[in-house]
Amino acid sequence: MDEAFSGYYDSSSPDGAASSAASKNIVSERNRRKKLNERLFALRAVVPNISKMDKASIIKDAIDYIQELHDQEKRIQAEIMELESGN
Amino acid sequence: MDEAFSGYYDSSSPDGAASSAASKNIVSERNRRKKLNERLFALRAVVPNISKMDKASIIKDAIDYIQELHDQEKRIQAEIMELESGN
DNA sequence: CATCACACGTGATTC
DNA sequence: TGAATCACGTGTGAT
């Protein structure tokens, strides 16, 4: 990385083809972002108590929620055990 | 919003104070991103079967997992009901 | 060679 | 006024 000097030229079709290689990337990138946002949105949908709308918080709430679920599952499992075996 | 014209000027001390308003933002942004990534990382940590490492997939897997947990909880709840009331 | 996924800096917007 | 959050286009490394 970081070549001292590189006499690069972009190449890309020398003649016409003004459509530039770049704008391809732009679109892809836009898509990636959209997808990511949708996912984030979906995540927000399955998590009950969202505190704030910002991305970081959404993920955080999701994490908390998962851990909560884990906890509950454990508790419930224990309860079953008791009911089953105990009597 | 969207004023036709706003003759705004960044101003910031006309004379010295070259410290540019911008570089403040750069740092903030860097932080935001870092935080977000850490969150994403943490999310990856609590979700068991990650298919791919890319951000979108991570979130997706998390969503799937949550739904799975929901399902299980329901099933287990039902089981308890049965054990309890049944007799 | 192209394609994907990423981090970056930047301008806009909002509180 | 300043801080925080976002979406964007771009350059880059990996596949």
Side-chain angles (χ1 to χ4, degrees), chain B residues 11 24-25 28-29 32-33 35-36:
Chain B
S11 80
K24 188 58 169 301
N25 205 350
S28 294
E29 189 50 12
R32 192 178 74 94
R33 265 190 296 251
K35 194 163 80 179
L36 222 120

Side-chain angles (χ1 to χ4, degrees), chain B residues 10-28:
Chain B
D10 178 83
S11 80
S12 54
S13 337
D15 60 326
S19 27
S20 70
S23 73
K24 188 58 169 301
N25 205 350
I26 303 190
V27 176
S28 294

Side-chain angles (χ1 to χ4, degrees), chain A residues 54-73:
Chain A
D54 86 86
K55 296 185 178 174
S57 304
I58 294 182
I59 301 193
K60 179 161 172 263
D61 288 344
I63 298 179
D64 287 354
Y65 185 52
I66 290 190
Q67 256 150 6
E68 210 178 300
L69 283 187
H70 271 171
D71 253 38
Q72 248 188 11
E73 198 193 337

Side-chain angles (χ1 to χ4, degrees), chain B residues 18-70:
Chain B
S19 27
S20 70
S23 73
K24 188 58 169 301
N25 205 350
I26 303 190
V27 176
S28 294
E29 189 50 12
R30 243 178 239 165
N31 258 26
R32 192 178 74 94
R33 265 190 296 251
K34 185 136 84 88
K35 194 163 80 179
L36 222 120
N37 272 6
E38 278 163 15
R39 288 302 207 312
L40 221 26
F41 211 77
L43 183 60
R44 202 171 83 238
V46 293
V47 174
N49 31 2
I50 305 299
S51 49
K52 280 176 69 238
M53 266 285 268
D54 86 87
K55 296 185 178 174
S57 304
I58 294 181
I59 302 192
K60 180 160 172 263
D61 288 345
I63 298 179
D64 287 355
Y65 184 52
I66 291 189
Q67 256 149 5
E68 210 178 300
L69 283 187
H70 271 173

Side-chain angles (χ1 to χ4, degrees), chain A residues 76-77 79-81 83-84, chain B residues 71-87:
Chain A
I76 294 191
Q77 286 276 24
E79 198 177 336
I80 284 197
M81 279 302 225
L83 284 177
E84 256 179 353
Chain B
D71 252 38
Q72 249 187 11
E73 199 192 337
K74 237 187 188 152
R75 252 196 327 262
I76 294 191
Q77 286 276 24
E79 198 177 337
I80 285 198
M81 277 304 223
E82 235 187 282
L83 284 176
E84 257 178 352
S85 72
N87 77 286

Side-chain angles (χ1 to χ4, degrees), chain A:
Chain A
M1 37 307 246
D2 194 9
E3 292 288 84
F5 257 63
S6 6
Y8 282 150
Y9 52 111
D10 178 83
S11 86
S12 62
S13 339
D15 60 325
S19 29
S20 69
S23 71
K24 186 59 168 303
N25 207 353
I26 301 191
V27 176
S28 295
E29 196 39 20
R30 243 179 240 164
N31 259 26
R32 192 177 76 91
R33 264 188 231 124
K34 184 136 85 82
K35 195 163 79 179
L36 223 124
N37 272 6
E38 279 164 15
R39 292 289 212 290
L40 222 25
F41 207 76
L43 183 60
R44 202 170 85 239
V46 293
V47 175
N49 30 2
I50 304 300
S51 49
K52 278 174 73 233
M53 266 287 268
D54 86 86
K55 296 185 178 174
S57 304
I58 294 182
I59 301 193
K60 179 161 172 263
D61 288 344
I63 298 179
D64 287 354
Y65 185 52
I66 290 190
Q67 256 150 6
E68 210 178 300
L69 283 187
H70 271 171
D71 253 38
Q72 248 188 11
E73 198 193 337
K74 240 192 187 144
R75 254 197 323 266
I76 294 191
Q77 286 276 24
E79 198 177 336
I80 284 197
M81 279 302 225
E82 234 187 283
L83 284 177
E84 256 179 353
S85 72
N87 83 276

